[in-house]
Amino acid sequence: MMLQLTPVEVMAVLGGLFALVMVWRASAKATRRASEATRTSVRFMSLTGRVVVTAAVIVGVQWIVIKHPGNEGLLLAVLGVPALFASYTLTRALTVTAVDMPQQKKGRRR
């Protein structure tokens, strides 16, 4: 028994296959874009977490020294040195941006 298809049926099958391939490629691109967006937000949250923890440590040490007065030099050191570290961290957080290199397509197989 031989399968006989009209030209319209052949075109319909080819059109369906083409549509399936296009949907598959579009979903792969969307998945890749979502993955890149997630990586970017994780990087930002990691940096934010480090800045917040550093600030909490600085405030904790300053609070202890201010609550127990007595040494003016220690007070100045506790207020001045962490301010330098905080300004450095804040400056890096606001000025350094990651440059993601686009993924290269796989080359020819040899």
Side-chain angles (χ1 to χ4, degrees):
M1 185 180 206
M2 188 178 224
L3 183 63
Q4 294 181 356
L5 297 173
T6 66
V8 173
E9 292 171 333
V10 171
M11 291 302 288
V13 169
L14 290 177
L17 289 174
F18 180 73
L20 182 64
V21 168
M22 294 307 291
V23 167
W24 178 57
R25 287 187 62 196
S27 68
K29 286 181 182 180
T31 301
R32 193 175 316 117
R33 273 185 258 133
S35 173
E36 290 171 4
T38 301
R39 246 183 271 126
T40 301
S41 66
V42 166
R43 244 185 260 121
F44 175 72
M45 291 307 291
S46 175
L47 181 60
T48 302
R50 286 182 288 196
V51 169
V52 168
V53 168
T54 303
V57 169
I58 291 169
V59 168
V61 170
Q62 288 175 343
W63 182 260
I64 290 171
V65 171
I66 290 171
K67 279 302 208 183
H68 296 56
N71 189 346
E72 295 289 324
L74 181 63
L75 180 63
L76 289 175
V78 166
L79 294 176
V81 172
L84 292 174
F85 286 117
S87 65
Y88 174 77
T89 303
L90 187 58
T91 301
R92 279 190 55 133
L94 295 176
T95 59
V96 175
T97 58
V99 176
D100 290 333
M101 299 301 291
Q103 294 180 353
Q104 296 180 358
K105 295 181 180 180
K106 293 183 180 178
R108 290 182 270 153
R109 293 184 185 182
R110 295 182 185 183

